[in-house]
Amino acid sequence: MRPIDIASFASHSLQSSRTRTLLMMLAMSIGVGAVVVLTALGEGARLYVVNQFSSLGSNLVLVFPGRTETAGISPGMLLGQIPRELTMEDARALLKSRAVSRIAPMTIGSSEISYGPLNREVVVLGSTSDLLEVRHMELALGQFLPSTHEGEPVCVLGAKIRHELFGNASPIGKWVRLGDRRFRVIGVMGSQGESMGYNTDELVIVPVSAAHMLFNNSGLLRILVEAKSRDSIPRAKQDAESILLARHGERDVTVITQDAVLATFDRILRALTLAVGGIAAISLSVAGVLIMNVMLIAVSQRVKEIGLLKALGASSSGIRTLFFTEAALLSIAGSIAGLALGEAGVLTIAKAYPSLPVTAPWWAVLAAMGTALATGILFSVWPARRAARLDPVAALSGR
Amino acid sequence: MISLEHVSRSFAVGDQQVYALRDISLDIAAGDYVSLMGPSGSGKSTLLNLIGLLDRPSSGTYSLDGKDVTALNDEEQARVRSEKIGFVFQSFNLVPRLTAAMNIELPLILAGIPSGKRKARVEGLLKDYGLSDRADHRPDQLSGGQRQRVAIARATSMHPSILLADEPTGNLDQSTGREVIDLLEILTEQNVALILVTHDPAIGGRARRQLHMLDGRVIG
């Protein structure tokens, strides 16, 4: 038989038992669709985290107070046990390193902001003028914290805070009250949304010294250190460690690079994606068993036809090829339908959660299609062999 | 052309050997018209299946055109069936989901003949057997006589040299049965060897050579 005739004969027999064919395609396509949607979700979560980290700034080295014995974040840090505070002097000292271009200290507290009769709770971030560059933030109005006169009582409002307190009126030059102090508004941040747990739209940024006075403390939550280039990140990390070792007399800070954190999250989330993809692939093998079952029924329903084909000159291997082709066509159609189903699901999720960058990774799509084809063909080996082995005399008489 | 030498065919039923054919030696020449008659269970169909290479003898040799075909493997036997042997069955054995034209085309498809050539040959056969206006009908839309004509057209589509008919009139009324036999007899004039299994002495009696079987033996 010519390949084209085999294909058309197989597709003809699939079309003539429409319900059976559609049900098997449905099973196959649900399997493939599940793999596509679940891996797209996993990959979306990974990309989301990666984006969050890169929006933090580039070439960053983070300095935390407290020491961890191994890489990562120590339990002590999570519990807020800070052996020795990081100070502004520590932060400025880091600029001595030639690998460091800029630093931005951060201290965080929460306070009440009020303007006229309006007031609300806000997160107050104390930092310096370089934060704008280091964190890749954008200014919508006015100016950012001044690089000189650090003690000045000025503040920069998040987009949402500005909107809630001032509506559409310009807040520049107005005085707002934070806790028991008054601050002059000098700028408004552009709308950026959430980043690493803080919604910059709902922040109020003040100079570090003002924040220290407001919250009556002196330490820094962390120092963002920007290395001069990607290549100088390890150097910046080393320098930061040795400078702070010299200042503190012991290793009591944790210095991590953005890349290290990112790589860890990347690994975890990729493993997660693989796991959910693998679970979805199990449903594909279930579809494979279904295909085997239905093919076996098809063989026993078509015993007479198989006997006839043998009498008309088909060899056993020819019969086997016919049944194989049927299974393969079914799997191809099913996996294409599943791909469409999956992509539709991905689009729906993308519509519902625009902030999540859901896209099925190409390897998952290939793996899903490959698994579908392989299971479809693998599970039809037995039925096809059974068809090929039929004794034509018995088959023709319908025994 | 067909030469059987001391051919036997036995089946194991339980722990007993049951002989369907016993020591049959038989020669059939090209264009021969042979009828095989005998009671049920006398081995007619087994002999026919054996000649049609659907079955293998337990002992003895079967040579076709001077070649021992019992020694061929499955693939080679399939090719011989495809090229030299046509089957006509009592219950027609048409594929129900295929049209008359496609049923006739089936052996040509299995033989790997290109599509253009197939279409021409099928059209000729449909015309020869008066089925041109039934080409696109499925078997369940055809009468018994039409179905058997489709089956004969299918059996001859590869221009076989042997036509094996197992009770071809068994499911037909007498006049349609007669028509079918007429069509088969025309083929013997084209040098096709026709071997016809039948119960009906009136039909069997028309053959140039009549073989009677009993208990797996040819008795004359």
Side-chain angles (χ1 to χ4, degrees):
Chain A
M1 277 181 94
R2 308 168 140 245
I4 183 149
D5 291 328
I6 293 174
S8 79
F9 189 89
S11 78
H12 198 280
S13 74
L14 283 175
Q15 279 163 32
S16 60
S17 46
R18 200 157 292 151
T19 319
R20 193 181 73 200
T21 305
L22 284 179
L23 280 176
M24 284 209 278
M25 268 181 65
L26 186 67
M28 202 99 236
S29 58
I30 287 174
V32 173
V35 172
V36 170
V37 168
L38 288 177
T39 50
L41 270 179
E43 188 70 1
R46 192 181 69 84
L47 285 177
Y48 179 76
V49 169
V50 170
N51 289 346
Q52 290 281 297
F53 267 93
S54 38
S55 76
L56 194 69
S58 45
N59 305 336
L60 281 191
V61 176
L62 308 176
V63 182
F64 297 90
R67 175 72 196 158
T68 53
E69 293 306 317
T70 54
I73 296 167
S74 79
M77 263 164 58
L78 294 176
L79 294 171
Q81 295 167 357
I82 300 169
R84 184 187 302 204
E85 286 183 332
L86 277 172
T87 62
M88 268 311 285
E89 285 68 44
D90 290 334
R92 283 196 201 93
L94 293 177
L95 281 170
K96 283 188 287 191
S97 161
R98 261 184 289 158
V100 171
S101 65
R102 276 186 285 246
I103 58 122
M106 283 173 77
T107 177
I108 292 264
S110 110
S111 175
E112 193 182 72
I113 187 168
S114 59
Y115 175 71
L118 301 170
N119 66 76
R120 63 159 286 174
E121 276 291 309
V122 288
V123 175
V124 176
L125 170 65
S127 191
T128 58
S129 59
D130 281 340
L131 181 73
L132 190 71
E133 302 287 329
V134 173
R135 282 277 317 253
H136 293 202
M137 289 168 146
E138 270 170 41
L139 211 55
L141 272 179
Q143 58 186 63
F144 199 65
L145 301 178
S147 48
T148 52
H149 311 293
E150 280 185 356
E152 248 188 307
V154 292
C155 69
V156 178
L157 302 182
K160 194 172 171 198
I161 305 290
R162 172 258 172 123
H163 188 77
E164 284 178 3
L165 293 184
F166 295 94
N168 289 325
S170 168
I172 307 294
K174 302 280 175 14
W175 288 82
V176 294
R177 181 171 285 278
L178 272 173
D180 54 357
R181 288 165 188 276
R182 273 161 37 96
F183 288 83
R184 187 164 53 88
V185 179
I186 56 168
V188 177
M189 301 305 301
S191 184
Q192 282 180 316
E194 194 137 330
S195 162
M196 291 314 295
Y198 300 117
N199 189 339
T200 48
D201 295 352
E202 296 188 53
L203 274 183
V204 173
I205 303 168
V206 299
V208 171
S209 50
H212 282 159
M213 277 190 273
L214 198 59
F215 302 119
N216 193 25
N217 59 10
S218 56
L220 296 175
L221 181 77
R222 70 180 79 139
I223 305 169
L224 306 180
V225 178
E226 190 186 65
K228 281 200 169 113
S229 67
R230 200 175 170 75
D231 296 332
S232 52
I233 291 176
R235 183 72 203 278
K237 183 185 177 201
Q238 263 179 24
D239 286 355
E241 276 171 344
S242 53
I243 288 168
L244 292 173
L245 173 65
R247 288 180 59 83
H248 291 186
E250 58 174 329
R251 289 186 181 276
D252 61 355
V253 296
T254 302
V255 183
I256 56 174
T257 62
Q258 191 184 7
D259 285 7
V261 181
L262 194 57
T264 307
F265 271 101
D266 202 62
R267 261 203 315 278
I268 293 170
L269 287 163
R270 204 181 277 276
L272 194 75
T273 305
L274 279 175
V276 290
I279 290 166
I282 291 173
S283 69
L284 268 179
S285 61
V286 173
V289 174
L290 186 74
I291 283 193
M292 176 162 72
N293 187 23
V294 177
M295 287 304 273
L296 281 174
I297 295 171
V299 169
S300 59
Q301 274 175 348
R302 283 154 63 187
V303 161
K304 250 192 148 161
E305 181 187 325
I306 294 162
L308 175 74
L309 289 175
K310 284 196 167 176
L312 296 182
S315 60
S316 295
S317 65
I319 302 277
R320 198 162 50 227
T321 311
L322 274 179
F323 275 85
F324 255 157
T325 311
E326 266 187 45
L329 283 180
L330 203 70
S331 310
I332 292 170
S335 50
I336 289 172
L339 204 60
L341 198 72
E343 291 296 342
V346 168
L347 278 182
T348 315
I349 294 170
K351 268 244 163 70
Y353 303 97
S355 62
L356 200 63
V358 273
T359 40
W362 62 268
W363 54 263
V365 173
L366 278 188
M369 302 273 285
T371 318
L373 271 179
T375 48
I377 291 170
L378 205 69
F379 280 106
S380 64
V381 168
W382 185 34
R385 280 172 70 115
R386 200 155 140 170
R389 279 190 185 160
L390 280 176
D391 170 26
V393 174
L396 270 170
S397 59
R399 265 180 280 141
Chain B
M1 184 174 50
I2 297 170
S3 172
L4 302 178
E5 278 175 63
H6 306 294
V7 162
S8 295
R9 177 72 171 106
S10 59
F11 300 93
V13 177
D15 49 3
Q16 256 185 330
Q17 287 294 105
V18 175
Y19 279 83
L21 298 176
R22 294 169 199 264
D23 193 30
I24 289 182
S25 295
L26 188 66
D27 283 290
I28 295 171
D32 244 356
Y33 178 9
V34 182
S35 68
L36 268 178
M37 288 179 284
S40 312
S42 58
K44 308 182 300 280
S45 294
T46 308
L47 181 57
L48 203 69
N49 289 331
L50 216 137
I51 294 173
L53 290 175
L54 293 178
D55 204 354
R56 288 169 191 262
S58 313
S59 63
T61 56
Y62 167 23
S63 46
L64 192 61
D65 292 331
K67 214 172 126 192
D68 184 1
V69 287
T70 48
L72 299 180
N73 66 24
D74 175 80
E75 196 88 19
E76 292 161 332
Q77 284 201 341
R79 195 171 314 129
V80 172
R81 278 202 300 274
S82 165
E83 288 168 359
K84 296 190 178 170
I85 300 167
F87 286 91
V88 177
F89 305 94
Q90 178 177 0
S91 51
F92 322 127
N93 274 339
L94 302 179
V95 181
R97 63 167 189 277
L98 300 178
T99 63
M102 288 163 96
N103 265 292
I104 296 173
E105 198 183 358
L106 209 47
L108 304 173
I109 293 177
L110 292 171
I113 290 169
S115 165
K117 222 167 156 185
R118 289 199 312 247
K119 294 280 178 264
R121 217 189 273 186
V122 169
E123 226 155 273
L125 283 163
L126 283 166
K127 222 171 107 206
D128 289 350
Y129 287 91
L131 292 162
S132 293
D133 55 339
R134 292 280 181 271
D136 296 329
H137 290 222
R138 281 202 303 273
D140 55 3
Q141 298 162 315
L142 298 173
S143 72
Q146 286 168 339
R147 286 187 214 181
Q148 199 57 302
R149 292 217 297 276
V150 171
I152 295 171
R154 182 179 65 188
T156 56
S157 63
M158 283 294 289
H159 304 313
S161 49
I162 303 165
L163 198 62
L164 304 172
D166 194 352
E167 306 263 14
T169 60
N171 284 2
L172 302 173
D173 63 58
Q174 218 157 26
S175 66
T176 342
R178 191 76 26 114
E179 283 170 33
V180 165
I181 296 298
D182 287 343
L183 288 171
L184 292 172
E185 285 177 356
I186 291 171
L187 291 166
T188 63
E189 288 159 22
Q190 298 160 4
N191 218 27
V192 175
L194 172 64
I195 302 171
L196 183 75
V197 166
T198 183
H199 271 111
D200 187 346
I203 289 173
R206 292 167 57 147
R208 284 194 290 274
R209 191 171 160 201
Q210 296 159 23
L211 298 174
H212 293 268
M213 290 189 72
L214 190 66
D215 287 339
R217 285 184 221 275
V218 177
I219 52 167

